[in-house]
Amino acid sequence: MAIVVAAAGMCAAGAMNSAEIARLHGVAAAHERSLDETRREAQREVNALAARLSELQAQANRLNALGDRLARGAGMEDGEFDFDRTVGVGGPEPAQDMPAGKLLGGLEALEGDLTHSGQQLSVLEALLLDRKLQRDALPSRSPVGRSFVTSSYGYRADPFGRGGQFHKGIDFDARTGDPVMTVADGVVSYSGVRRGYGNVVEVDHGNGYVTRYAHNSRNVVKVGDLVRIGDEIAKAGSTGRSTGAHVHFEVWENGQVQNPRKFLGAMGVSRQ
């Protein structure tokens, strides 16, 4: 009987141990599933952060490219704004683990800063473009290359020996057939013959400015043509009241003839 009772007790104890072991296995499996879910959730957050970081990096690259283009367009010296150089930062405080929520908040704040900076750079780009368009529409270069001034603006002796006269423009030395170039962007408002001037091209640059190119051997543009600074509009010559091949150049502002020197500065150079 004692043996039977002992055997029964051992069986019961074994059954209890098996149940406990099974329960512990179940708890371990649940913990493992929980850990797997936690890992997957953490990976999803990491992937989301990686995607956000990629977007911010692309935005930062775009801003760097825009900033670099604006710096070059503004004529800033090389290295004055180096958008590829890492900026120096630092601080004495020790580093601590950053909670994920604070990191996400920092990324959102950075995205807002980049967006604001992008808007400001876009406005600056538009202003610089408008300034360039205005500058290109202002007479600011010589109408003929590799030349020099042969007669200035103002009163002078008549080149045909008939007293004095008021010279309304500047004469540039040229050879027959040399390209005559527009000194600014604009639209051809006249292309034909004027008394005394011979073959003439006039370009309207807007804002009240008109330039005149005279004594051409041939005009190569017609009324209504859009021309850019430096475009050829005629061939130099000696038509009209002229003693020889040259380019006669005038600047008119709001219907009043002006001294081209105040727009062109010291642009005369020796012929090469």
Side-chain angles (χ1 to χ4, degrees), residues 215-260:
H215 304 304
N216 309 316
S217 61
R218 180 167 60 91
N219 298 340
V220 299
V221 292
K222 62 183 182 301
V223 173
D225 284 350
L226 176 66
V227 292
R228 300 293 186 185
I229 184 170
D231 284 353
E232 182 179 358
I233 57 176
K235 298 291 186 180
S238 184
T239 58
R241 196 170 185 269
S242 170
T243 62
H246 69 285
V247 176
H248 175 84
F249 174 68
E250 296 179 7
V251 175
W252 293 74
E253 182 181 7
N254 296 320
Q256 300 294 321
V257 68
Q258 303 291 324
N259 185 351

Side-chain angles (χ1 to χ4, degrees), residues 21-254:
I21 290 172
R23 186 185 70 81
L24 292 176
H25 277 302
V27 171
H31 286 171
E32 185 65 29
R33 289 193 296 272
S34 178
L35 285 174
D36 287 342
E37 181 60 29
T38 301
R39 292 191 191 98
R40 286 193 293 271
E41 181 62 27
Q43 188 60 51
R44 283 194 291 269
E45 292 184 359
V46 170
N47 292 341
L49 289 175
R52 178 64 64 85
L53 182 60
S54 177
E55 293 173 357
L56 294 180
Q57 184 62 53
Q59 192 170 358
N61 289 338
R62 184 184 68 82
L63 293 181
N64 286 341
L66 177 58
D68 184 62
R69 185 168 71 250
L70 293 180
R72 292 197 307 271
M76 297 178 180
E77 296 180 0
D78 292 341
E80 185 174 353
F81 284 92
D82 186 353
F83 292 91
D84 294 325
R85 181 175 59 85
T86 302
V87 297
V89 295
E93 298 82 4
Q96 298 178 350
D97 291 338
M98 177 180 290
K102 183 171 289 188
L103 176 58
L104 286 173
L107 288 176
E108 290 177 357
L110 176 60
E111 185 176 22
D113 291 341
L114 289 176
T115 299
H116 182 65
S117 297
Q119 292 171 347
Q120 290 181 318
L121 283 175
S122 295
V123 171
L124 179 59
E125 182 182 34
L127 291 175
L128 289 176
L129 177 60
D130 183 64
R131 182 180 298 177
K132 180 181 184 300
L133 291 175
Q134 291 183 1
R135 184 176 63 249
D136 288 347
L138 187 68
S140 59
R141 58 164 292 164
S142 170
V144 61
R146 301 187 302 276
S147 183
F148 54 89
V149 174
T150 58
S151 184
S152 298
Y153 173 89
Y155 285 99
R156 67 175 185 179
D158 180 69
F160 292 92
R162 298 178 182 177
Q165 64 175 195
F166 185 83
H167 191 222
K168 295 180 180 179
I170 291 179
D171 290 342
F172 292 87
D173 178 63
R175 297 187 181 97
T176 298
D178 281 351
V180 180
M181 299 168 290
T182 180
V183 300
D185 296 350
V187 177
V188 177
S189 56
Y190 182 85
S191 179
V193 178
R194 288 194 186 279
R195 182 178 179 182
Y197 287 99
N199 292 325
V200 173
V201 172
E202 295 177 2
V203 179
D204 190 332
H205 306 283
N207 297 320
Y209 289 105
V210 174
T211 52
R212 177 178 291 169
Y213 312 78
H215 304 304
N216 309 316
S217 61
R218 180 167 60 91
N219 298 340
V220 299
V221 292
K222 62 183 182 301
V223 173
D225 284 350
L226 176 66
V227 292
R228 300 293 186 185
I229 184 170
D231 284 353
E232 182 179 358
I233 57 176
K235 298 291 186 180
S238 184
T239 58
R241 196 170 185 269
S242 170
T243 62
H246 69 285
V247 176
H248 175 84
F249 174 68
E250 296 179 7
V251 175
W252 293 74
E253 182 181 7
N254 296 320

